[in-house]
Amino acid sequence: MLTSAASKARRTKARFQVLLTTTVATVALSGAAIAQGSVGQAIITGIAIDTHDDNMAFTDVAYAAGIGQVTIPYMGWGIGCVDFDNDGWPDLFVVNGHVYPQVDALATGMKYRQRKLVFLNQKDGKFIDVSDSVGGAVKIPQASRGAAFGDLDNDGRIDVVVENIDGLPMLLHNEGRNANHWITLELIGTRSNRLALGAKVHVVAGAVSQVDEVRSGGSYLSQNDLRQHFGLGSANKVDDVEIRWPSGNTQVLHNLAADRFYIVKEGTGVVSPEQARPASQGKR
C-alpha cells in the first residue's frame, strides 16, 4: 500500500525548482487552508496535528496521520497547509533548521542546516512523505525559518519562498503538471477593510467543499499572498462561492469557470482590475 501510494505521488505531485536566490528578503505572498480528511478540521501546530471534537478536546494525531515519525530528526519552523497539486486537498510543506550551529559537532546526528519536508494529502486523514520525489531543491540543507506561499507567476500553482537565517532566501517554483483545475479569488472590501482580512470563503465544486479565510500573516515571520487559491481536482467549474465579509455581509456567486483569477468586490461581485482600483483622491 505504501509503495503504491509513493508511486502515485511521484506521478502527480508538484516538483519544485530553484528559480533564484536573492538578497531581497521581503516577499508578499497567499493561502492557508483548513486541512480536510476523516480526522476533521485540523490545526497545524509546528509539525504536530491536533484535532478537536465537539467538546473542544484536542488530540495529537501526528503519528496516525503519518508525519510524526518522519519529522523527529528535524526542527520545524515555517509551515504551510496548501494544495500543491490542485486536487482539492491541502498538502503540508515544512522548512527546518536548528537553533545552534554548534549542534554539528555533536554525535546526535542533528544538523544546523536541514532539508525541507513535503507531505501529500491522501484524502483520508493521512499524509505520505514525498520529500524525495519533488525535486532536488527541497533536499538542499539550510538554516530555514520563514516560508511564504502563493502563486508568484500566476500559472495556477502555488510556489514557495523560503527565508534562511544565515543565507539568501530561496524561491521554489512549482513545476507540477497535471490535469487538475483551480480557481483564485482576490477580495476587495468596501464596508469591510479593503484587504478583506478576516473574510471567510466557502467554495463548492461538485462533491468537494472547501473553506478558507483571508489572513494577515502566515507561518513564522512570513506573509502569504492574500488571494484565496482553491484546487478543484477534475471539476471544470465552481458551483457556488459564499463570502462572509468582516462587515457581516454575505455574498454568493454561482457557476464560475475554473482555471481563472477573479476579483470580487464587496457588494458588487466580480469586477475588472480597473474597477478594483481605489477611487481617485484628486490631483495633488
Side-chain angles (χ1 to χ4, degrees):
M1 178 67 72
L2 183 61
T3 302
S4 175
S7 297
K8 178 182 178 182
R10 283 192 289 270
R11 292 196 303 270
T12 63
K13 190 66 195 135
R15 294 184 63 84
F16 295 97
Q17 176 185 10
V18 180
L19 288 189
L20 54 90
T21 55
T22 172
T23 55
V24 180
T26 304
V27 182
L29 298 171
S30 140
I34 295 178
Q36 303 177 55
S38 61
V39 296
Q41 296 183 350
I43 300 174
I44 308 304
T45 56
I47 40 183
I49 300 182
D50 296 330
T51 63
H52 66 81
D53 57 25
D54 293 338
N55 297 320
M56 292 301 293
F58 289 84
T59 304
D60 183 0
V61 296
Y63 282 86
I67 69 170
Q69 186 68 33
V70 177
T71 56
I72 286 178
Y74 303 96
M75 182 171 289
W77 294 83
I79 188 169
C81 187
V82 294
D83 187 357
F84 287 118
D85 55 358
N86 286 330
D87 65 351
W89 294 78
D91 311 301
L92 297 178
F93 186 100
V94 188
V95 302
N96 304 289
H98 205 278
V99 177
Y100 303 110
Q102 295 87 343
V103 73
D104 288 343
L106 301 180
T108 61
M110 182 75 73
K111 297 298 182 181
Y112 177 59
R113 293 177 175 82
Q114 300 176 357
R115 61 169 302 163
K116 294 90 182 153
L117 297 173
V118 186
F119 297 90
L120 182 68
N121 195 323
Q122 297 296 284
K123 308 179 184 180
D124 59 358
K126 297 180 180 180
F127 295 83
I128 183 173
D129 180 11
V130 295
S131 306
D132 289 332
S133 60
V134 292
V138 173
K139 302 178 184 180
I140 298 174
Q142 296 172 312
S144 301
R145 294 296 184 265
F149 302 85
D151 186 356
L152 291 176
D153 55 351
N154 292 332
D155 64 354
R157 294 183 294 273
I158 298 297
D159 310 301
V160 188
V161 175
V162 179
E163 185 272 328
N164 299 302
I165 194 170
D166 62 351
L168 300 176
M170 173 182 281
L171 194 164
L172 296 173
H173 183 248
N174 190 335
E175 299 284 320
R177 294 289 188 273
N178 59 40
N180 290 336
H181 299 287
W182 53 273
I183 190 172
T184 298
L185 305 171
E186 179 181 354
L187 306 187
I188 305 295
T190 53
R191 288 186 58 195
S192 305
N193 63 87
R194 179 170 175 80
L195 295 179
L197 298 175
K200 292 182 174 60
V201 183
H202 182 198
V203 170
V204 178
V208 178
S209 177
Q210 302 178 67
V211 178
D212 207 344
E213 180 177 340
V214 182
R215 297 175 176 87
S216 176
S219 70
Y220 183 81
L221 295 179
S222 302
Q223 170 62 58
N224 295 330
D225 185 356
L226 293 176
R227 296 178 299 177
Q228 300 298 289
H229 178 95
F230 297 92
L232 304 177
S234 61
N236 59 12
K237 71 169 184 175
V238 171
D239 300 311
D240 300 294
V241 175
E242 180 184 83
I243 303 171
R244 296 185 180 182
W245 298 89
S247 65
N249 290 339
T250 299
Q251 198 164 356
V252 180
L253 307 172
H254 303 287
N255 297 320
L256 298 182
D259 304 327
R260 295 184 185 180
F261 296 88
Y262 294 92
I263 302 174
V264 183
K265 193 171 185 178
E266 183 180 10
T268 301
V270 177
V271 299
S272 67
E274 292 75 20
Q275 293 172 308
R277 294 181 185 137
S280 174
Q281 299 299 315
K283 297 181 179 180
R284 293 182 179 179

